[in-house]
Amino acid sequence: MRYSEQVKPVSYLKAHAAELLRGLADGAPPLVITQNGEARAVLQDVASYQETQETLALLKLLALGTRDIEAGRTVPARDAIARLRKGAGNAAE
């Protein structure tokens, strides 16, 4: 997607808000909103926003995991599973 094709001034947003929101709900790509010729905001539908936030959260978890590996803060899977099984047995008592 080329953002240059999806750039609208804030005045266009004000005049066509309902139409733009309908388009976004129907799958139109996000819009870059400008003010005084400068990009100021991105307008996108809620489902796409949520998907983006979930993707960012997963990427953050991956980055944190990578840091843990690099720092040596890991244990073999066999040990982790054994520890979980031992803990689960205690919870049932």
Side-chain angles (χ1 to χ4, degrees):
M1 166 183 36
R2 293 185 178 229
Y3 287 111
S4 61
E5 297 170 4
Q6 296 301 120
V7 177
K8 301 290 181 194
V10 71
S11 58
Y12 186 89
L13 172 63
K14 290 176 185 178
H16 299 91
E19 174 188 336
L20 291 172
L21 292 175
R22 270 192 303 276
L24 290 170
D26 291 340
L31 294 170
V32 175
I33 305 300
T34 63
Q35 185 177 36
N36 299 322
E38 294 184 29
R40 294 290 184 188
V42 175
L43 182 64
Q44 70 183 112
D45 65 290
V46 173
S48 294
Y49 177 77
Q50 288 173 334
E51 186 177 314
T52 299
Q53 294 304 304
E54 290 169 2
T55 300
L56 289 172
L58 287 172
L59 288 171
K60 184 174 184 176
L61 287 173
L62 287 171
L64 291 172
T66 300
R67 278 194 228 146
D68 284 343
I69 291 168
E70 291 169 351
R73 294 186 299 257
T74 60
V75 296
R78 180 178 290 122
D79 296 349
I81 292 169
R83 193 168 28 180
L84 287 172
R85 285 185 177 150
K86 183 179 178 182
N90 293 337
E93 295 175 4

